Every structure is written in structure tokens, then in C-alpha cells.
Amino acid sequence: MSQPSSLLSLLTALLLILPSALAATAGCGKTNTITSGSRTMTVNNKNRRYIVRLPSNYDKNRPYRLIFGPHWRDADYQAVDGGSAPYYGLKALSNNSAIFVAPDGLNKGWANSGGEDVTFFDQMIKALSDDLCINEKLIFSLGFSYGAAMSYSLACSRPNVFRAVAALSGATLSGCSGGTEPVAFYSQHGVRDSVLNLSMGKQLRDNMLKRNGCASKNAPEPARNSRQPHIKTEYSCKEGYPVTFVAFDGDHVALPNDQGGDGGASSWTIPEVWKFFSQFT
Ligand SMILES: *[C@@H]1O[C@H](CO)[C@@H](O)[C@H](O)[C@H]1NC(C)=O
Ligand SMILES: *[C@@H]1O[C@H](CO)[C@@H](O)[C@H](O)[C@H]1NC(C)=O
């Protein structure tokens, strides 16, 4: 007599569990062998290094976000993992809800010759997914300068792997193989960037606007040396593929403030990017 209703509640329970179970990687439920620290792997016969940071209360049954932070030019993975704002400041805001990875580029950059850096990311994602509990629908990359270029390249080559990427003062330095499918995209650029000029940053944004089917919209910019606050433009795009662009009165700076300089750990960039990434659940 109670069978139909218990069957119904079983089905309801299954339907509730299913979406996250489908997105959970093979590492869910396993006792992890990967712990926080530096690791190596071989990619196309080259030795590659990366740092992994697990939540301090890592739970093998909870599918976590996975956030990559490729470094800028002439830096290395320790620059992203350490300093005053590790992982471009996101780690401090994440409240143990994400696994962070700082990969190390070859020759202190991300030339991505023949796609070798994309292959490095493929292999890291495979190794991490097999061992750790990750929500495979919530994989992100965020970087500054060369690291922004690498994140953009991942959006081109792996649109179905990355839920969103963020490019801080980037350009197409790491190539764009593929580059037709939509990926949620956050970018920001200084109006007086003397290393990778504003037009280069807008080129990334405009490519993503096209791919994500966004309606055109005026994106105002603060005047150079005006000390005007940054200006954020949110575009209306294909459902699930938003694009945000922020223009600021500054030079080539990862974490700017609104006084024309470097805001470090108190930069407005950190909550903006976290808000952009954490809208996806
Ligand atoms: C951090 O996460 C814990 C549990 O996952 C939650 O209880 C707590 O409210 C969160 N804190 C903030 C500031 O979001
Ligand atoms: C930006 O830099 C590119 C590459 O160096 C150059 O071709 C272009 O003219 C520059 N654009 C502006 C507006 O300075």
C-alpha cells in the first residue's frame, strides 16, 4: 500500500542526486593520494610542474570547483601560489569551496607551442579528476597577462571543459585553436596598459562576444589618468554564457585599485571575479 509513495520518493531522491552525481569525477569517494603541494608529470616527454591546494577540510565526498591560476610572464607557479593574494586573491574568498592549481609554464611563459600547454592542462585535469572529488561542470581558469592569454587559449580549445575563464589584461599570446564555441568570459583591461594595449584586450572580449551570441552594447571606459573608478559592462548573451568586461584607469596590473595603481589583496578585481565564477553552481 505504501509502495507507490516510497517508489515516488525513491525516484525523487534519485532525481535530486543525479545532476551532481553525473558531474562528480572518479575521485569522489576515494581516499586521495594527491595532497597540497608541488607535483610533477611528463607531458610530451617534458617534465611539467604544478602546485595543488586542497581545502583545509577536504571532503572526499564533496564535488569541488577546480580553479587553475596560470602565472604571468617571467614568473613561475610560486608567484601565483604565494604573495599577498594567492591565486589572484580567489583562494581567500573561496571559503574552502574550491581546489586551486598553479601550473608552471615552460621558459616562464605560455607559448603553447603545438598545443603542448593545452595538453598539460588536459593531463592535469585527468590526474586530478581520477584522484580528487571535483565537479567536472565547474572547472575554471584565471590568469594575468601571459596567464590570461593561456586562459583564453583554453576557452578556445576546451570550451566543453571550462565553465568560465577570466582574463586579466590579456592578449592572444598563447593562440586560439578552435575558438568557435561559447564559454562564459570575464575580462578586464587598463586603458593605459603599456605592455599589452587596450585594443589587444578588446580583441579577446570581442571574439567571445561573437561566440557567446551577445547583443552589442556600449562599453564605456574611464579616461586615462582620470582616477575615475573602473567601469563594468555586462553583456546579454546566450543563456549560460555571460560576458563581463571591466575597463580601469591603469597600466598593466593584475589586481588594480581605483587610484591608478596596484590594489593587491584589496583590489576590486578579486570579488568581481569570484562573483563571476561562483554564479555557476
Ligand atoms: C563557509 O562554508 C561553510 C560550510 O561549507 C558555511 O557553513 C559557512 O557559512 C561559509 N562561510 C561563508 C563566509 O560563506
Ligand atoms: C596595440 O598593439 C598592437 C601590437 O603591438 C599594435 O599593432 C596596435 O597598433 C596597438 N594599438 C593601439 C591602439 O595602440
Side-chain angles (χ1 to χ4, degrees):
M1 271 175 297
S2 67
Q3 266 173 353
S5 78
S6 57
L7 188 62
L8 194 65
S9 49
L10 179 67
L11 282 174
T12 310
L14 276 176
L15 284 173
L16 286 174
I17 293 166
L18 218 52
S20 62
L22 282 177
T25 56
C28 292
K30 278 191 197 167
T31 299
N32 56 306
T33 62
I34 295 178
T35 51
S36 291
S38 182
R39 313 187 63 81
T40 61
M41 61 168 45
T42 305
V43 181
N44 292 339
N45 296 317
K46 289 179 186 169
N47 188 44
R48 304 297 304 254
R49 309 184 296 178
Y50 60 107
I51 297 172
V52 178
R53 292 291 165 207
L54 298 184
S56 57
N57 56 355
Y58 176 75
D59 171 356
K60 67 182 189 323
N61 295 311
R62 173 177 171 187
Y64 289 94
R65 294 162 187 281
L66 175 61
I67 303 177
F68 288 95
H71 58 77
W72 48 99
R73 187 189 183 95
D74 292 335
D76 67 5
Y77 62 171
Q78 282 171 339
V80 170
D81 183 66
S84 64
Y87 298 89
Y88 300 102
L90 292 198
K91 192 165 183 292
L93 272 193
S94 72
N95 185 25
N96 278 329
S97 66
I99 295 167
F100 288 89
V101 176
D104 204 36
L106 296 170
N107 306 312
K108 304 203 163 202
W110 300 100
N112 191 27
S113 305
E116 65 181 341
D117 290 322
V118 172
T119 304
F120 177 31
F121 278 79
D122 288 343
Q123 282 188 214
M124 283 187 286
I125 291 169
K126 172 83 171 85
L128 295 164
S129 299
D130 284 348
D131 196 73
L132 298 171
C133 192
I134 291 163
N135 184 332
E136 67 180 7
K137 303 265 190 253
L138 296 177
I139 301 179
F140 305 87
S141 184
L142 155 73
F144 165 61
S145 196
Y146 223 152
M150 188 61 219
S151 300
Y152 177 75
S153 186
L154 292 166
C156 294
S157 306
R158 297 293 179 263
N160 301 316
V161 173
F162 287 85
R163 185 65 190 85
V165 305
L168 312 179
S169 307
T172 52
L173 305 170
S174 306
C176 177
S177 166
T180 52
E181 290 176 67
V183 177
F185 189 67
Y186 173 98
S187 70
Q188 63 178 46
H189 217 99
V191 297
R192 49 191 171 82
D193 193 315
S194 59
V195 179
L196 302 173
N197 67 35
L198 179 62
S199 327
M200 296 166 113
K202 283 184 183 170
Q203 191 193 341
L204 303 186
R205 177 199 67 189
D206 293 345
N207 288 342
M208 296 309 305
L209 289 175
K210 219 174 289 169
R211 283 161 57 176
N212 292 12
C214 310
S216 61
K217 187 171 185 178
N218 179 42
E221 295 157 14
R224 290 160 157 256
N225 299 306
S226 62
R227 303 295 185 265
Q228 250 183 288
H230 63 282
I231 304 176
K232 175 165 82 166
T233 302
E234 293 174 292
Y235 293 86
S236 301
C237 310
K238 191 174 158 186
E239 177 74 31
Y241 299 99
V243 173
T244 293
F245 177 71
V246 180
F248 60 92
D249 174 28
D251 200 334
H252 197 58
V253 178
L255 300 176
N257 60 24
D258 278 336
Q259 285 76 49
D262 189 341
S266 55
S267 172
W268 48 262
T269 297
I270 302 167
E272 285 293 355
V273 175
W274 180 249
K275 194 174 147 205
F276 192 82
F277 281 0
S278 59
Q279 73 182 296
F280 306 108
T281 52

